[in-house]
Amino acid sequence: SSWASRVLAWDISQAGESRPKSSIKHDGPVMCTHFSGDGARVFSGGCDTYAKMWALDGANQAMNVGKHDKPIRCLRYCPNFNVLATGSWDKTIKYWDCRQQKPSLTLKLPERCYAMDSLNDLLVVGCADRHVHVYDLKRPQQPHQTTQSSLKNQIRCIRCFPDKSGYAAGSICGRVAITYLAPKDEKKNFMFKCHRQKGNDTTRAEVYAVNAIEFHPRGTFATAGSDGQFVFWDKDSRQRLKKFEPRFDNPISAAAFNGNGEIFAYAVSYDWSKGIRHYKNRQNLIYLHPVKPNEIAPQRRRF
């Protein structure tokens, strides 16, 4: 998805070759996309305030399935409940049965929605002012847990642990917070610095936003940032597995593993973190990194 108001689908061969499959348009920049559980449909939302559903095996047409008063920043399709959850800058979450024109449920948030993830019956939402709401989708009428993130600056991205025991959140200040949901596991919570580079003054570091966090099927995870780097981590052993240097002088704005974790896709695109002076007609590109088992394998704990 892009700020050019388009959502594009690509076919990727076993050899890693790509070819465009089809595309649809919104009436404004597209800020979020998510596949259905079976991969046959794509959901998208953005600044035109609409959520759309697009069947990939059909024509290049999409139908509106949701609407907010302000831009839709995040959305997640929850296949166990056949529900689309949308989070907006209008400070609400809405749940949609895509066969109906009105939301099945609307919930107020304390602030604008900036990040969202779901896994089975778990939904985690990150808002402005570092608010985090956790929902049990079996009882979605009110949050199961509310807290303020240990991160000291704006939340940029959030992802559930594969075992649903917690979530990882990244911020604009080059930090990631690892948070467990059960009170008995609070002692496992920690935060670490990442996506920083030494400046000309060696006593200071240039700090970059963490734009994406993505978990691998093996339980390890990747971060990608405005410094143009992506890094693989193991939260259980609290180790950095491998750091990949930037290929170009451009931020990584989004990233994801494919279903079996063999490919790590990342988008290189200016994220406006340094303002218009640093734009310089930069290119917008998507890269595919073949993931080697030794790059992403969990490590033994050192403590």
Side-chain angles (χ1 to χ4, degrees):
S1 61
S2 75
W3 284 16
S5 307
R6 296 179 68 196
V7 182
L8 300 96
W10 301 80
D11 273 330
I12 309 298
S13 71
Q14 291 292 329
E17 298 175 345
S18 63
R19 66 176 183 87
K21 179 180 175 67
S22 51
S23 66
I24 61 167
K25 287 204 71 173
H26 278 249
D27 291 328
V30 184
M31 304 181 75
C32 51
T33 55
H34 196 226
F35 279 99
S36 61
D38 58 5
R41 293 167 292 166
V42 173
F43 298 91
S44 55
C47 292
D48 61 2
T49 71
Y50 283 97
K52 294 180 180 289
M53 180 175 69
W54 172 29
L56 290 176
D57 60 354
N60 292 355
Q61 295 181 349
M63 60 182 294
N64 294 333
V65 293
K67 176 76 168 68
H68 279 263
D69 295 332
K70 291 185 178 180
I72 297 173
R73 178 62 184 88
C74 311
L75 54 73
R76 305 296 290 183
Y77 181 72
C78 309
N80 289 7
F81 302 89
N82 195 28
V83 162
L84 177 68
T86 56
S88 170
W89 289 349
D90 64 10
K91 302 181 184 180
T92 66
I93 295 175
K94 294 185 179 183
Y95 298 95
W96 304 88
D97 178 338
C98 297
R99 299 164 296 185
Q100 307 294 329
Q101 293 184 345
K102 294 184 178 180
S104 54
L105 183 64
T106 300
L107 301 175
K108 291 185 178 180
L109 293 171
E111 254 295 351
R112 290 152 291 170
C113 177
Y114 280 168
M116 177 189 290
D117 193 27
S118 65
L119 182 62
N120 298 333
D121 55 357
L122 175 65
L123 179 75
V124 183
V125 181
C127 301
D129 291 343
R130 302 165 26 242
H131 293 283
V132 178
H133 280 206
V134 179
Y135 295 87
D136 180 351
L137 291 176
K138 296 191 296 292
R139 295 176 290 276
Q141 293 82 3
Q142 58 186 12
H144 171 70
Q145 188 181 107
T146 61
T147 186
Q148 201 159 31
S149 174
S150 57
L151 296 165
K152 301 302 181 184
N153 296 90
Q154 176 184 312
I155 295 171
R156 178 60 62 85
C157 52
I158 206 161
R159 283 295 178 264
C160 304
F161 297 168
D163 63 0
K164 302 190 305 176
S165 63
Y167 58 89
S171 79
I172 61 171
C173 64
R175 294 177 188 262
V176 171
I178 301 297
T179 305
Y180 288 82
L181 297 176
K184 66 180 179 62
D185 292 330
E186 283 185 358
K187 61 184 179 182
K188 298 181 183 179
N189 295 350
F190 69 98
M191 185 166 50
F192 64 92
K193 298 177 183 179
C194 55
H195 297 285
R196 294 164 181 245
Q197 296 179 6
K198 288 185 179 180
N200 295 329
D201 179 357
T202 56
T203 62
R204 292 189 174 186
E206 293 185 10
V207 179
Y208 295 85
V210 182
N211 288 332
I213 297 175
E214 292 294 331
F215 277 91
H216 188 269
R218 301 188 69 174
T220 47
F221 68 98
T223 61
S226 292
D227 57 351
Q229 295 181 347
F230 64 95
V231 188
F232 293 165
W233 308 88
D234 183 351
K235 68 175 178 60
D236 296 325
S237 64
R238 301 191 183 187
Q239 293 185 61
R240 184 177 70 189
L241 300 177
K242 188 165 185 177
K243 179 180 178 181
F244 299 85
E245 296 298 330
R247 299 181 61 171
F248 296 98
D249 181 23
N250 222 1
I252 296 177
S253 55
F257 289 102
N258 71 332
N260 60 20
E262 294 180 352
I263 298 173
F264 181 70
Y266 59 98
V268 175
S269 177
Y270 189 50
D271 61 1
W272 298 96
S273 56
K274 291 187 176 182
I276 194 170
R277 289 182 301 169
H278 292 262
Y279 175 60
K280 300 179 183 176
N281 294 317
R282 303 190 192 195
Q283 290 183 303
N284 303 309
L285 302 168
I286 298 173
Y287 290 95
L288 303 178
H289 171 76
V291 180
K292 299 176 182 177
N294 63 343
E295 294 176 344
I296 202 68
Q299 301 294 306
R300 289 186 176 183
R301 294 174 66 99
R302 296 184 296 186
F303 52 91

